[in-house]
Amino acid sequence: GVPITLYSLHNGAESVVSTLITTAPIAPGHTSAGYHLSMDPMEVTGSTLRLVADDDGTGTGHIEECNEGNNVWVLQQPLCP
């Protein structure tokens, strides 16, 4: 599987919200089925959320790819509690 980590950026500090490992490999150029990450809404309200594929929660990837720059999705709008 592939590690996927959700980060929260709030007041300049980034922290790991949750990390999961996919149940199957994800081939380059492909996507996977949906996954669920649990979070406490109070921990992420007003934060920018960043979801990173091939990230084990330390910023380290384990899969060599020709394009490492397409593994990130950012949600910048505030969340309500």
Side-chain angles (χ1 to χ4, degrees):
V2 178
I4 299 173
T5 298
L6 179 66
Y7 292 92
S8 172
L9 177 63
H10 187 72
N11 293 328
E14 188 170 69
S15 59
V16 172
V17 175
S18 185
T19 299
L20 65 80
I21 306 293
T22 65
T23 56
I26 303 172
H30 292 84
T31 60
S32 69
Y35 290 92
H36 297 267
L37 291 168
S38 297
M39 67 184 95
D40 179 348
M42 297 310 290
E43 290 182 17
V44 297
T45 299
S47 297
T48 296
L49 298 179
R50 188 168 67 98
L51 187 67
V52 186
D54 191 24
D55 182 330
D56 64 7
T58 66
T60 302
H62 299 277
I63 300 167
E64 189 173 324
E65 302 175 69
C66 62
N67 182 358
E68 294 285 348
N70 65 354
N71 292 342
V72 179
W73 177 77
V74 178
L75 176 66
Q76 295 181 329
Q77 58 196 33
L79 300 175
C80 298

